[in-house]
Amino acid sequence: GQQVQQSPSSLVLQEGENAELQCNFSSTATQLQWFYQSPGGSLVSLLSNPSGTKHTGRLTSTTVTKERRSSLHISSSQTTDSGTYLCAIGGSGGSNYKLTFGKGTLLTVTP
Amino acid sequence: EAAVTQSPRNKVAVTGGKVTLSCNQTNNHNNMYWYRQDTGHGLRLIHYSYGAGSTEKGDIPDGYKASRPSQENFSLILELATPSQTSVYFCASGEDPTTLYFGSGTRLTVL
């Protein structure tokens, strides 16, 4: 089945620094999503980016489909950005899709 | 705002006992999912459904059953709970990857 590898597994930054998170996947994906999970909390979708570059707020995602990789750039990090960032891919569209998740990158932003 | 509600939030069960985890969504989404999250494994798909009356096996269905009696409700059933099923379980609903909503999770401990 599909596999998703995320790196680094953890990252510690000082507030104001930028973060670069990586996601590599084993097979062609027609769907790619980045999620945020607060410490001990639930998951919230950040953005969907199956190809190209997409921006939302301080987040920028770049996906190179044929190289099976995606990145999430967080600019000017804040302590409230601390949590786990998960990459998930899906292979089919329509109403029967399912996502395969990576293990996540644990981001800690210190004051 | 879309809502996915899981119950209970926490559950302690005994080995061999029956456990039912419930999920309710008010989004009128066709697709619903059950994932478990464990350290070192990330989120793994157990069962999913694409409408009332349907259930499909995910990547790790062994030891679990699912039931989708209505559009709104999706249950995960552990007929004979084992300690290896101690985990955090998440329910999600969505029509496509850009509208995937997660519940707050159920922390299950099997003693």
Side-chain angles (χ1 to χ4, degrees):
Chain A
Q2 294 174 322
Q3 294 186 13
V4 180
Q5 302 289 338
Q6 291 188 244
S7 61
S9 57
S10 63
L11 182 62
V12 179
L13 298 175
Q14 277 199 316
E15 199 166 25
E17 292 182 323
N18 298 330
E20 187 84 14
L21 312 180
Q22 302 293 336
C23 176
N24 292 276
F25 40 97
S26 61
S27 57
T28 302
T30 57
Q31 305 289 351
L32 187 138
Q33 254 192 311
W34 285 93
F35 288 86
Y36 168 76
Q37 185 174 25
S38 59
S42 186
L43 286 82
V44 175
S45 177
L46 293 173
L47 47 73
S48 174
N49 187 32
S51 66
T53 299
K54 197 165 185 176
H55 303 275
T56 180
R58 294 182 290 108
L59 304 178
T60 300
S61 173
T62 299
T63 299
V64 183
T65 308
K66 60 182 179 181
E67 295 182 11
R68 299 175 186 170
R69 60 179 175 87
S70 180
S71 65
L72 181 68
H73 181 88
I74 306 172
S75 63
S76 303
S77 62
Q78 302 173 358
T79 56
T80 52
D81 295 331
S82 296
T84 300
Y85 291 79
L86 296 149
C87 173
I89 63 169
S92 61
S95 63
N96 295 337
Y97 78 96
K98 57 174 184 171
L99 296 178
T100 300
F101 284 79
K103 296 178 182 179
T105 293
L106 176 62
L107 175 64
T108 303
V109 182
T110 61
Chain B
E1 178 70 18
V4 178
T5 304
Q6 293 183 231
S7 62
R9 288 297 311 273
N10 294 282
K11 173 75 177 177
V12 179
V14 296
T15 298
K18 182 176 180 179
V19 177
T20 300
L21 307 183
S22 299
C23 179
N24 176 273
Q25 55 112 349
T26 59
N27 313 317
N28 199 33
H29 289 154
N30 287 326
N31 305 312
M32 296 187 75
Y33 306 82
W34 276 106
Y35 286 90
R36 64 177 284 178
Q37 186 176 36
D38 304 284
T39 303
H41 287 282
L43 271 86
R44 293 179 289 173
L45 182 64
I46 306 170
H47 284 287
Y48 63 104
S49 166
Y50 47 84
S54 85
T55 60
E56 302 290 331
K57 293 180 179 180
D59 299 321
I60 53 164
D62 293 346
Y64 302 94
K65 290 173 56 178
S67 174
R68 182 88 181 270
S70 65
Q71 179 81 342
E72 298 78 20
N73 295 296
F74 190 37
S75 298
L76 186 69
I77 303 153
L78 291 66
E79 295 278 4
L80 295 169
T82 68
S84 64
Q85 294 175 313
T86 293
S87 185
V88 180
Y89 292 85
F90 286 98
C91 174
S93 76
E95 285 300 331
D96 58 64
T98 62
T99 56
L100 193 59
Y101 296 93
F102 281 81
S104 299
T106 294
R107 185 174 297 274
L108 173 65
T109 303
V110 182
L111 302 176

